[in-house]
Amino acid sequence: MSGFELTKEFSEKRELLDVAIRELKKRGQIKAQAEHDYKVENAKKIYLLREDGIPVTIIKDMCMGDPHIAKLRMDRDLSKSMYESNQQKIYQLKLEIGIIERQMESERRGQ
């Protein structure tokens, strides 16, 4: 690969990294909101079940089986997965940028 091509690829990867970092912030906010929503609704459900005299030993299972709580839990897990996926993309881009930098350095040295 020529120096020009390496420089172009380097710039493209840097742009992608910038986009991925901005996206990570958005996904982090979504993840935090999903966690909040799940915990608040789960706590409400636990309280209501306790008020109804449901034995403590089965409350967790009943909450997990509630369609609304289960949906919130799924949303939380999906948002966490998307956040972690975005983090992995950032790591990948950093590695690719490092490889390109080493190739550019090698080009400069004439190797």
Side-chain angles (χ1 to χ4, degrees):
M1 222 183 251
S2 72
F4 174 75
E5 292 170 326
L6 287 171
T7 302
K8 184 178 180 224
E9 188 174 355
F10 178 81
S11 294
E12 289 169 358
K13 297 292 182 187
R14 287 292 311 255
E15 275 184 44
L16 289 172
L17 180 59
D18 289 343
V19 169
I21 290 170
R22 284 192 301 274
E23 185 65 24
L24 186 67
K25 179 181 178 184
K26 289 179 200 170
R27 290 185 182 185
Q29 291 168 336
I30 292 168
K31 177 179 168 279
Q33 186 65 53
E35 180 74 24
H36 168 269
D37 296 347
Y38 167 68
K39 284 187 175 183
V40 167
E41 291 300 315
N42 194 47
K44 286 180 189 176
K45 184 70 175 179
I46 289 170
Y47 177 76
L48 292 174
L49 291 172
R50 289 289 295 142
E51 285 257 311
D52 290 343
I54 303 296
V56 174
T57 55
I58 64 169
I59 285 180
K60 181 179 178 185
D61 292 333
M62 290 185 73
C63 287
M64 289 177 72
D66 180 86
H68 179 64
I69 302 299
K71 170 83 168 80
L72 291 171
R73 184 179 171 125
M74 181 182 71
D75 291 346
R76 179 203 65 178
D77 292 347
L78 289 172
S79 65
K80 181 180 177 185
S81 177
M82 293 299 291
Y83 180 84
E84 290 171 356
S85 173
N86 200 161
Q87 280 183 316
Q88 291 302 316
K89 183 63 177 177
I90 289 171
Y91 298 145
Q92 175 195 359
L93 287 167
K94 286 180 177 182
L95 285 172
E96 289 173 1
I97 288 170
I99 290 168
I100 294 167
E101 285 177 325
R102 287 189 291 283
Q103 288 175 330
M104 291 169 72
E105 184 61 34
S106 186
E107 277 275 321
R108 276 185 231 132
R109 286 193 221 136
Q111 296 176 345

